[in-house]
């Protein structure tokens, strides 16, 4: 199953650690370009198989409908989404660019300007790289599970429990009990979460409640190794 956090963990591990090249050495380990950086991140996150072809921005465009869902408005961009600059069919080489959102308003990407992997946001020239506005020149995509390599999410309901938990750190609220599910909100350290049930799925225990939208939401409170982010 694809995992956005694993994808981003790989991406951030390359921050200022590799050089930039569009040549034969773009496949690493010492140098990458924008698209090979994104392909390797997708592989690390489990969205692509380990032996997948490392392509360019045009190959990334072709992942729509396979492991990409297109996001049609910048306001809907979320952590883990992919941006691609350049008109599809014409984005080869210097005509295109790609990277990953760490949040709306912040990207991590391997770029020629800095000759390495950098993180850029509103305070550090993000608008030099992207317009933050969808157009034929700039499109957004969300990685989703590849049915060839993902397994059906097994969800086990542990119990009903009307109780509350106190956050020990920042935690994300998700649409499904999976770390690859899209975050829809978050709680900060010391925030209180009221919940009505507990589940086990995707290697985590989750507390769950009905959100203001009327939809069920999930928050991971510990992993199966005992590391815990919420106390009760």
């Amino acid at each position: 199953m694809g995992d956005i956090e694993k994808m981003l963990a790989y991406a951030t591990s390359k921050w200022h650690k590799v050089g930039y090249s569009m040549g034969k050495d773009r496949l690493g380990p010492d140098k990458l370009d924008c698209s090979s950086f994104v392909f390797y991140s997708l592989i690390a996150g489990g969205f692509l198989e380990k032996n997948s072809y490392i392509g360019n921005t045009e190959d990334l465009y072709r992942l729509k409908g396979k492991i990409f869902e297109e996001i049609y408005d910048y306001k809907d961009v979320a952590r883990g989404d992919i941006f691609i600059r350049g008109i599809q069919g014409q984005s080869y080489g210097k005509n295109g660019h790609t990277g990953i959102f760490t949040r709306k308003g912040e990207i991590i990407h391997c770029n020629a300007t800095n000759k390495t992997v950098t993180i850029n946001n509103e305070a550090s020239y993000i608008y030099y790289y992207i317009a933050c506005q969808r157009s034929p020149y700039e499109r957004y995509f969300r990685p989703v599970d590849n049915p060839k390599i993902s397994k059906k999410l097994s969800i086990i309901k542990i119990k009903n429990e009307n109780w509350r938990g106190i956050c020990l750190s920042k935690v994300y609220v998700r649409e499904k009990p999976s770390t690859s599910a899209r975050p829809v909100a978050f709680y900060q350290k010391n925030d209180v979460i009221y919940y009505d049930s507990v589940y086990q799925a995707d290697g985590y225990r989750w507390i769950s409640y009905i959100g203001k939208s009327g939809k069920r939401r999930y928050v991971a409170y510990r992993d199966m190794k005992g590391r815990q982010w919420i106390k009760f």
Side-chain angles (χ1 to χ4, degrees), residues 15-80:
W15 182 75
H16 286 192
K17 297 295 185 183
V18 296
Y20 178 88
S21 174
M22 289 182 64
K24 293 181 179 180
D25 52 354
R26 64 179 286 270
L27 300 182
D30 298 320
K31 294 182 180 181
L32 300 171
D33 68 2
C34 64
S35 50
S36 62
F37 169 74
V38 170
F39 268 99
Y40 284 129
S41 297
L42 290 166
I43 291 170
F47 295 103
L48 290 173
E49 295 179 279
K50 290 183 178 180
N51 61 349
S52 294
Y53 172 70
I54 307 301
N56 52 37
T57 49
E58 288 298 306
D59 296 304
L60 286 172
Y61 272 127
R62 295 186 189 103
L63 294 178
K64 178 183 175 181
K66 297 177 181 178
I67 67 158
F68 280 171
E69 291 179 346
E70 187 158 8
I71 308 302
Y72 291 96
D73 196 315
Y74 179 73
K75 69 179 179 62
D76 297 321
V77 164
R79 179 175 172 85

Side-chain angles (χ1 to χ4, degrees), residues 3-15 41 44 79:
D3 189 319
I4 287 170
E5 297 307 321
K6 287 182 180 179
M7 179 182 75
L8 284 166
Y10 170 87
T12 54
S13 76
K14 300 303 178 183
W15 182 75
S41 297
R79 179 175 172 85

Side-chain angles (χ1 to χ4, degrees), residues 20-21 31 40 46 48 55 58 60 96 100 109 111 113 125-126 132 140 149 171 177 222 225:
Y20 178 88
S21 174
K31 294 182 180 181
Y40 284 129
L48 290 173
E58 288 298 306
L60 286 172
I100 308 170
H109 57 144
N111 59 89
T113 304
Y125 309 107
I126 186 175
C132 296
Y140 313 116
I149 61 176
V171 295
R222 73 171 173 88
K225 295 180 180 179

Side-chain angles (χ1 to χ4, degrees), residues 75-98:
K75 69 179 179 62
D76 297 321
V77 164
R79 179 175 172 85
D81 290 347
I82 308 295
F83 73 85
I84 305 177
R85 288 277 297 175
I87 296 175
Q88 187 171 4
Q90 304 175 31
S91 71
Y92 294 101
K94 295 181 180 180
N95 294 320
H97 188 50
T98 186

